Amino acid sequence: MDPRAETSPASDRVPVASRAVKAGATLFRQSCVADAIYFVSMGSFKVFRTAEDGYEQVLCFVGAAELLGYDALCTHSHPTEALALEDSRVCVVPLHELFALGQATPAFDRMLHLAVSRQLTRHGEVTDVMAAVAAEVRLARFLLNLSARMQARGQSPRRLLLRMCRRDIASHLGVAHETVSRSFTALADLGYLQVRNREVEILYLPALIEFARSTRGSSEDLMNQARCRVSKADEVGTAGAMGRESEALAALKALSKDAGQASFPVGKSAARIRASAGA
């Protein structure tokens, strides 16, 4: 089932207002009084917190079928800020109507529980990403989570359009801006990705999944191991690579059920990997 159908007030004919939010506009600000929660029906947002010294920490990226502002329910003020990354639309549920609406409309109550559960799953994904030592692995896990979310929405899990900028990704992953750029280049040189500005294509999904499994490995060790796997891929041939591709797609499909998420040169190894995978 399309997750949007389970977590969109409009799909259950719940009487709530809809609001358009232009790209770059703020939906709610940090420390401001909370008067509503929001279901994203279209578009995407970045959620961030600004420290006393002015540093902006990006906590997560929220898209269609996801919930915004629920963390303000207990404190009545927003601990974060939400900014639209593109032209978006949200369904607005006033806090003073929230509990009564849940009691009067079972469909809304179910929808709210599903949205909160999905939000908790997202927090688990962030923890998993941050557990990795190497920046390249953090980026790989971030892209795989995004790929799974795209697949869950019925979109391509391989061709990703990043609505967020490199600096936002760096803040989210807890690394420097330059480190994110180098990590994109490294994954592209291995033939896992092709990157054109904000357009990312996953060229070889099995290898990216395998690379993302290492939690404690250093960047240098991981890159050496990855280069060895690239060399072995030439020896395996098309049949073996296609088998791993099928397994990787099955793994991504399973992950997507839980999700229900300047040009960089492509290295010489990309052509070999694509050929061995039958891409």
Side-chain angles (χ1 to χ4, degrees):
M1 180 181 293
D2 185 344
R4 289 171 296 183
E6 295 182 320
T7 53
S8 172
S11 67
D12 289 313
R13 298 179 181 178
V14 177
V16 295
S18 178
R19 179 191 302 176
V21 187
K22 291 291 186 181
T26 298
L27 179 62
F28 54 78
R29 296 189 181 279
Q30 182 176 337
S31 300
C32 287
V33 175
D35 57 5
I37 63 172
Y38 309 89
F39 291 87
V40 181
S41 57
M42 183 184 74
S44 58
F45 293 79
K46 74 171 180 178
V47 178
F48 62 95
R49 181 183 294 119
T50 304
E52 292 183 359
D53 62 0
Y55 177 72
E56 183 181 293
Q57 175 66 55
V58 178
L59 302 176
C60 62
F61 302 101
V62 175
E66 297 183 66
L67 186 61
L68 284 166
Y70 196 79
D71 52 357
L73 191 61
C74 61
T75 61
H76 305 291
S77 65
H78 291 289
T80 58
E81 184 167 336
L83 183 142
L85 297 173
E86 57 186 310
D87 288 348
S88 305
R89 182 168 292 276
V90 297
C91 295
V92 184
V93 182
L95 289 182
H96 68 272
E97 297 179 6
L98 180 61
F99 297 110
L101 187 58
Q103 292 176 348
T105 313
F108 173 80
D109 192 55
R110 176 177 180 273
M111 174 196 65
L112 179 61
H113 280 80
L114 286 170
V116 173
S117 177
R118 185 167 289 114
Q119 191 172 61
L120 291 173
T121 300
R122 296 284 179 268
H123 291 164
E125 291 176 357
V126 173
T127 301
D128 181 62
V129 167
M130 298 301 291
V133 172
E136 296 86 354
V137 176
R138 291 189 183 188
L139 179 61
R141 291 183 179 186
F142 170 75
L143 293 174
L144 287 172
N145 286 337
L146 181 59
S147 174
R149 292 164 74 175
M150 298 298 289
Q151 186 176 55
R153 295 170 189 160
Q155 301 174 6
S156 172
R158 293 182 179 276
R159 297 180 181 276
L160 312 177
L161 177 59
L162 304 181
R163 299 295 183 180
M164 67 292 293
C165 65
R166 296 285 188 270
R167 195 170 299 279
D168 287 341
I169 296 175
S171 175
H172 179 58
L173 298 183
V175 299
H177 179 209
E178 296 78 8
T179 302
V180 167
S181 296
R182 287 196 299 268
S183 297
F184 268 112
T185 300
L187 295 179
D189 283 343
L190 289 170
Y192 299 166
L193 308 174
Q194 187 173 42
V195 186
R196 297 186 183 90
N197 296 319
R198 296 193 182 188
E199 295 181 7
V200 176
E201 181 181 0
I202 300 177
L203 298 176
Y204 193 23
L205 185 59
L208 188 63
I209 291 176
E210 179 66 26
F211 183 83
R213 285 175 178 156
S214 178
T215 301
R216 308 311 299 172
S218 67
S219 293
E220 183 178 357
D221 290 342
L222 288 173
M223 296 307 293
N224 288 333
Q225 293 169 14
R227 293 186 187 100
C228 289
R229 285 195 293 268
V230 168
S231 298
K232 290 180 180 179
D234 291 334
E235 303 171 3
V236 171
T238 302
M242 288 298 289
R244 291 196 303 276
E245 184 79 359
S246 298
E247 293 176 1
L249 286 172
L252 185 62
K253 185 176 182 180
L255 182 61
S256 70
K257 290 181 180 179
D258 295 332
Q261 10 151 259
S263 300
F264 295 89
V266 178
K268 295 180 180 179
S269 57
R272 299 201 307 272
I273 288 182
R274 294 186 71 183
S276 65

